[in-house]
Amino acid sequence: MRIGSPLTARAAASTAGLSDNISDALALKESKPKFDAAGVKLIAVGVGTPDKARILAERLPFPLDCLYADPDRKAYDVLGLYYGIGRTFFNPASAKVFSRFGDLQKSLKNYTLKATPDDKSSVLQQGGMFVFKGKQLLYARKDEGTGDHAPLDDIFNICCKVPVA
């Protein structure tokens, strides 16, 4: 993966129910101006194909240059992100998705089955949040279950503590 700027925050999005993935992208989209102003490049990595990424980018809308497609989930594997039925549906952390019900309702307005990955097992992939300065990993957090995401305000604070130059 390329690094777009000296300081990069990357979200590897989960896809459980796909609405959680859209909710993640919507939250990143809403936070993007704040990160841009601080000199931080936000990148979202999704499990679909480039065509599915384009659909998601158009539906939200979300900047396509900040949305990477990883249909083989190679980045997810390298980062050791969780995968499976147990993590997606039966992990206690997955109950956090219900605390984000308003966000999920908002994101469902942009939902379309056309954006669902062709490999339906991809919906069992959990995501995470990673902050890099160049190739140096500054922060890593794996989502334990569906809806269990790093608060973007915390990520922003981490990014602001690191000199960009």
Side-chain angles (χ1 to χ4, degrees):
M1 287 185 212
R2 66 182 166 88
I3 304 289
S5 66
L7 194 58
T8 308
R10 294 189 187 169
S14 63
T15 59
L18 198 61
S19 62
D20 190 40
N21 185 26
I22 294 171
S23 177
D24 293 345
L26 187 59
L28 289 173
K29 176 193 165 223
E30 290 171 353
S31 297
K32 189 175 179 322
K34 183 173 154 180
F35 281 87
D36 287 348
V40 177
K41 171 98 175 175
L42 279 179
I43 297 172
V45 179
V47 296
T49 61
D51 289 341
K52 302 291 184 174
R54 269 189 282 288
I55 293 169
L56 180 65
E58 290 169 5
R59 296 287 298 203
L60 284 177
F62 190 84
L64 193 56
D65 66 323
C66 297
L67 187 58
Y68 292 23
D70 183 12
D72 298 323
R73 300 191 307 263
K74 290 180 182 179
Y76 294 80
D77 291 341
V78 167
L79 295 168
L81 296 173
Y82 302 121
Y83 173 85
I85 291 173
R87 286 282 178 179
T88 303
F89 298 109
F90 304 114
N91 188 298
S94 291
K96 292 179 183 179
V97 75
F98 297 111
S99 69
R100 300 175 57 213
F101 188 71
D103 292 339
L104 290 174
Q105 278 185 312
K106 187 176 176 183
S107 66
L108 283 173
K109 293 177 185 175
N110 299 313
Y111 179 79
T112 176
L113 286 174
K114 294 176 186 175
T116 304
D118 294 329
D119 177 359
K120 302 302 183 237
S121 70
S122 293
V123 301
L124 302 176
Q125 180 66 60
Q126 297 303 310
M129 179 65 74
F130 303 86
V131 177
F132 294 89
K133 183 175 183 183
K135 292 182 180 182
Q136 180 186 6
L137 178 64
L138 302 176
Y139 172 86
R141 183 181 184 283
K142 300 177 188 181
D143 296 346
E144 293 289 329
T146 303
D148 177 42
H149 308 299
L152 286 176
D153 287 339
D154 292 355
I155 301 306
F156 182 76
N157 291 335
I158 289 164
C159 292
C160 288
K161 290 180 183 175
V162 179
V164 175

